[in-house]
Amino acid sequence: MTEPLVDAVDLVVDFPVGAPGEYLRAVDGLSFTLEPGRALALVGESGSGKSTVAAALLGLHRGTGARLGGTVRVGGTDVGSADAGELRRLRGGVAAMVFQDPLSSLDPYHAIGDQIAEVYRIHTTATRRAARARAVEVLDRVGIPDAARRARSRPHEFSGGMRQRALIAMALACEPRLLIADEPTTALDVTVQAQILDLLHGLREERGLGLLLVTHDVGVAAGSVDDLLVMRGGAAVERGPVDRVLSAPRAPYTRELLAAVPRLDGPRTPRPRPATDADEPVVEAFRLRREFGRGKRRVLAVGGPDRAEGVSLAVRRGETLGIVGESGSGKSTLGRMLVGLLEPGSGRIHHEGRETAGIAPGAQMVFQDPVSSLNPRRSVGESIADPLRAAGQRDEAAIRARVEELLTRVGLEPGHYDRYPHEFSGGQRQRVGIARALAPQPSLIVCDEPVSALDVTTQAQVTALLAELQRELGIALVFIAHDLAVVRQVSDRVAVMRGGLIVEEGPVDEVYDRPAHPYTRRLLDAVPALDPGLAARRRSARQEAFA
Amino acid sequence: MSVLTTGPVPAAGVTTPAAGTGRQVWRRLRRRPSAVAAAAVLALLVLLALAAPLFAQLTGQDPNAYHDDLVDSARGGVPLGSFGGISADHWLGVEPGSGRDLFVRLLYGARISLLVALGATALQVLLGVAAGLTAALGHRILGRFIGGVTDVMIALPMLVLAIALTAVVPPDFPRPLLLVLVIGVLDWGGTARLVRAQTLSLRGLDFVEAARLSGNGTLRIARRELLPSLAAPVITLAAIKVPTNMVIEASLSFLGVGVKPPTPSWGQMLSSAQTWFRADPAYVLLPAGLLFVTVLAFTVLGDGVRTALDPREGSRLRVGTGKERTT
Amino acid sequence: MTGFVLRRLGAALLVLLALSAVVYALFYLAPGDPARLACGERCNPQQIAQVREQLGLNDSVPTQYLRFLQGVLAGRDYSGGAGLVLHCDAPCLGFSYQNDRQVTELLLERLPATFSLALGALVIWLVIGVGTGLLSAVRRGGLTERLLTVVTLAATGTPVFILGLLLLMAVCAYLRWLPFPTYVPFGDDPEQWAWNLLLPWVTLGFFESAKYARLTRSSTLETLAEDHIRTFRAYGVGERALVTRHAVRGAVAPVIALSAVDFGTMIGGAVLTESLFGIPGLGKTLIDGVRVVDLPVVVGVVLTIGTAVVIAGAVADLLYAVADRRVALA
């Protein structure tokens, strides 16, 4: 039997926190092996310790004050006891790492080709010229068009997907036996994500590389690896072949996690009653356009190249309109215009049948970032009470009663009134944000990526809460997200945005099951499937389409 | 407009400040021995300065009374007696040349130093916060105009302009007040830029947007959402400004364009001490030491206040803190 | 890039124009009779009237300012009384009646001394300051680091003239290693020039070095903490190469830019150092001008210094943009 590529036994990593002598345990006695040429995914929610494991494999914790316990052997080298020279040979030569954020992970001052050449020369005796040639070769392999010329560009001249390709090229340069990819597609749009995952898959087949994929997204793992290791709180919860774990999870936590993952084919929450045209729209937009910047730097955010092209839509009482799109599609700008936080460049907005300008009465918003959406210096109760006070409410007892009622309604406790935002988790803060939006009894709430910063289990709870509140209060919801599966789960109708315009709009079932626009089809195809078989079929379909 | 900030650089990215309550800040400040020591030194100095007239009475010395009998006119006015003429009447000796009591004059000098430094800082903060807030929240054109003026104010050589300004002011204008006005009016640019940058980035944060959606007006948002978050950086900046302003006052007086005789001032004493290096070293070392210690104490206290207000930041005075260690 | 350069230069010109207007207004509209002030304390009423006539103070204020600007840009003529006409070439900053000299001439004469002082200080802070900073960044936690803490702390607490005074006292008065400095022009005797400037250089250079050591160190370490350094560390690049090939790049731009600003400010006159060591440079000229209320000289020096500083600021921004291309593109 050959020696495993990675062999971790009782791995423990402690980070120093605050006072000397105090440690936080990030990885707690993890053991696993990875055979050469196989692919393993470490899957877990934030704080599960999965990225720490990846860094530990390369000994990246040296010099940071972190304590390591147990043993890790990578390609036969004991990482814990290796000297500096052995460690340097290991890094890049045996195991190469692909990081999450491709922009900050490359040196902004040097040309991409030079950076790859530098790494190559560390592990070989190649001349400068040979190293450059090698850089062009690997850049070409990862699909950078016109690689010889693009090798001289610096990172900021590349798009996000191209940078991630360049990072993968750097990893390939020294012919490592193991690729460690730490959330390699998290910063990318879903269509680009599919391309990068396909690239990784192709490279693995071509060179027999081992792959350790670290991800929070079970879907990403499903189509890319042989085995799955589910982590929680620094320890393994379950490990097994990817089909088995996904189809018949044994650990309760895995079941919970998988149940929470929104799926394109999963059951939908039953919607109360479809809104009819007879209902008066709560909000109506006519040919909205919006640009940012002036002169040469003018960028069109919402609207088409033709000045008459704009976004028009209507949302009725009790109805949820989902808006999906990739970054830069203009979906957030549209959302802000709907509530009046941004003035439209042209076009009109009607609320409850009346044209409005500026902040719309009866419109509220739930924001993406649970950290910045609450004033850190005010108690959450005061934040929720703010709309009431601004509306002229003076009766302190009534305000407090109402806020406590709202807190209870969103699943928090009345006693939380005097707590501060930093005492809450991300999901709880998002609940506070929802309570604040509910306070003035709005007729419309625009949710801008309300769950994208949350872990999947929390995501599921928050979307369920939104749906429940809507059923009860009959509010019109606009749900903006990049995640197609989440949007499908909560919406009645969906609008697909691209380049500032809605390319397709219709009832959810229709758009998802019978997409009319090619872009919608492409988006749907790119969504990672939880079923490994389906993922493989889709991959070959994509390859055929591009061949 | 300008890429390079010569003034204090506001932190890039923002800053959902987590300073916490005043009591927490106070507790963190008290945990820093250097800050506590600096505060003690300054408290003592302020007490002494406040009590200067008391000491004048106690020792029976008028700060401006000449004592020709205490200096050796044959040797150009070197104080009689050892260590600059220390005696029971003159605790730190007398000034060479005039024979005025050094201890009382140093105390009166402290009054000027503290008065000008604190007064000028207050004026700078007032002007800076007003200009910065207006630039960030006012009309776009007004904002750009104030932003431009701020950049100019930061670019201008402050000390040179202050020196030049003292030339056109009537001689009978009270000098300490003049110094407060000159330093305050010329050097608010840094505060304004900080406040403007912080306000702009705070304004883009979701909680401010949420407050707008709730129907709050600009003024109400400024007061309830922005000012509390601005307090920490502004206090920090002010704490750093106090010693800077004190050095400017001393410099101007040293150059002979600040506080005019007979009003005593440390800078002015140092200026006249240049001729007494050998004959009366105490006359150089005492004001120099006092100025050094005071400025240092303000600097250390300012750094302490900064770290107490923003616990994520390490001390900037200590080189090589854990914060800087790379991961 | 070209657009960035043009925008930056345009901004610098605007600042200069604003500065000249403000300075002009302040000094010639200030309470007190500018003719009297310009002429000096010894003048009798007739002389003052004559000066007033010559300065054109009887005209409207905007006319006066425009004439002043014209003088700066194209030169102008003064009536020197009794039919005499003085020509003043561009850039004409006015006429000092107290020195009986043209201000521009006077300032040009003072420039070499100021330049000598600034140049030496620049060399010292670039070598010692930046060197110490780099050293302490490479050897973190070493002796240089602790030393740097103490020195920086002392330097932040010391006004430059205290340092100068103590040096003078120790080196010249007690140890007698050097005579009290007197300025000797480089052209007269290069060796004496250097010896006499040694103490001022050390004073100013040391004072600035502390700042540069910290700047170099902190920007190097800041870069060292960035994500892309982690990438190269994860690819087996050694610590030394990380600093020299990747992290130092982050320190170059701020050091160059700040050096340009500081050098410009010193060309404008290190007033305190010049005054303390009796170096006849621009700063000393300003102080002397202020003492005798010689307004044309004061206005001239302020504008010259302002120009130097504004140009330095613009140069700093441009250098920064060249060293860090991301800025120009942003």
Side-chain angles (χ1 to χ4, degrees), chain A residues 458-476:
Chain A
T458 324
Q459 256 182 20
Q461 293 159 6
V462 171
T463 46
L465 172 67
L466 278 171
E468 193 185 317
L469 287 169
Q470 185 185 32
R471 223 175 12 251
E472 204 171 292
L473 304 169
I475 304 168

Side-chain angles (χ1 to χ4, degrees), chain B residues 91-105:
Chain B
W91 295 358
L92 292 176
V94 296
E95 254 186 10
S98 64
R100 290 178 290 193
D101 183 80
L102 197 51
F103 175 63
V104 174
R105 281 187 73 75

Side-chain angles (χ1 to χ4, degrees), chain A residues 45-122:
Chain A
E45 298 188 295
S46 50
S48 63
K50 55 192 190 300
S51 286
T52 310
V53 174
L57 293 189
L58 289 179
L60 287 177
H61 297 305
R62 286 219 179 156
T64 62
R67 281 193 318 207
L68 244 78
T71 56
V72 191
R73 299 176 69 83
V74 177
T77 309
D78 186 339
V79 179
S81 65
D83 64 32
E86 281 173 329
L87 209 52
R88 278 211 298 275
R89 275 192 295 284
L90 171 74
R91 295 173 176 178
V94 177
M97 186 116 163
V98 178
F99 290 97
Q100 170 176 357
D101 181 356
L103 177 57
S104 66
S105 297
L106 288 162
D107 190 332
Y109 298 108
H110 296 285
I112 295 224
D114 291 349
Q115 301 189 37
I116 297 175
E118 181 189 349
V119 167
Y120 186 59
R121 291 189 65 203
I122 290 174

Side-chain angles (χ1 to χ4, degrees), chain A residues 158-341:
Chain A
F158 274 40
S159 70
M162 296 262 277
R163 281 185 213 122
Q164 196 56 281
R165 284 171 191 272
L167 267 180
I168 293 173
M170 182 183 277
L172 288 183
C174 304
E175 301 278 351
R177 290 155 56 205
L178 170 66
L179 219 52
I180 303 172
D182 185 3
E183 301 274 9
T185 57
T186 305
L188 305 174
D189 278 329
V190 59
T191 48
V192 184
Q193 162 169 297
Q195 293 165 17
I196 295 292
L197 292 177
D198 288 352
L199 172 67
L200 283 175
H201 188 82
L203 288 171
R204 229 162 63 67
E205 287 191 332
E206 178 186 314
R207 318 201 165 194
L209 284 169
L211 173 69
L212 187 82
L213 179 68
V214 175
T215 181
H216 70 281
D217 188 334
V218 186
V220 165
S224 311
V225 297
D226 311 312
D227 294 298
L228 214 54
L229 176 64
V230 181
M231 285 185 71
R232 187 191 198 184
V237 173
E238 179 162 6
R239 173 177 185 170
V242 65
D243 325 29
R244 204 277 294 151
V245 175
L246 291 181
S247 57
R250 287 179 193 147
Y253 174 71
T254 316
R255 278 201 286 277
E256 191 189 327
L257 186 71
L258 289 176
V261 173
R263 306 163 185 242
L264 283 179
D265 52 357
R268 288 180 53 210
T269 340
R271 307 296 307 170
R273 109 200 129 83
T276 61
D277 290 351
D279 295 315
E280 194 192 345
V282 173
V283 64
E284 243 180 319
F286 303 98
R287 291 216 208 129
L288 290 182
R289 290 174 62 83
R290 171 76 199 202
E291 294 168 338
F292 290 106
R294 291 186 303 161
K296 259 195 215 160
R297 296 170 178 230
R298 192 161 53 190
V299 184
L300 187 66
V302 170
D306 180 352
R307 296 195 71 84
E309 275 183 295
V311 169
S312 301
L313 55 80
V315 190
R316 290 164 215 284
R317 230 181 98 73
E319 180 188 46
T320 301
L321 173 69
I323 300 181
V324 286
E326 298 188 294
S327 52
S329 61
K331 53 190 193 305
S332 281
T333 308
L334 176 63
R336 277 168 199 248
M337 285 196 285
L338 288 179
V339 294
L341 279 175

Side-chain angles (χ1 to χ4, degrees), chain C residues 108-189:
Chain C
L108 279 178
E109 203 176 277
R110 300 296 180 91
L111 213 52
T114 295
F115 192 73
S116 305
L117 177 64
L119 198 67
L122 175 75
V123 171
I124 291 186
W125 85 59
L126 282 186
V127 173
I128 297 185
V130 175
T132 321
L134 275 184
L135 197 69
S136 72
V138 177
R139 290 196 205 147
R140 293 189 289 283
L143 183 68
T144 25
E145 203 160 72
R146 237 167 298 157
L147 212 65
L148 199 60
T149 303
V150 174
V151 171
T152 322
L153 199 58
T156 39
T158 327
V160 68
F161 60 87
I162 288 195
L163 179 65
L165 269 177
L166 294 181
L167 274 177
L168 269 179
M169 190 164 151
V171 175
C172 305
Y174 282 87
L175 301 168
R176 294 184 196 250
W177 289 344
L178 287 172
F180 280 91
T182 47
Y183 179 71
V184 179
F186 183 76
D188 292 2
D189 183 349

Side-chain angles (χ1 to χ4, degrees), chain B residues 155 255 278 316 319 324 327, chain C residues 173 214 217 233 291 309 317:
Chain B
L255 292 169
R278 271 203 81 85
R316 289 213 185 133
V319 175
E324 285 178 333
T327 47
Chain C
R214 289 177 58 125
R217 186 194 138 83
R233 190 173 283 130
R291 283 211 183 104
V309 170
D317 280 359

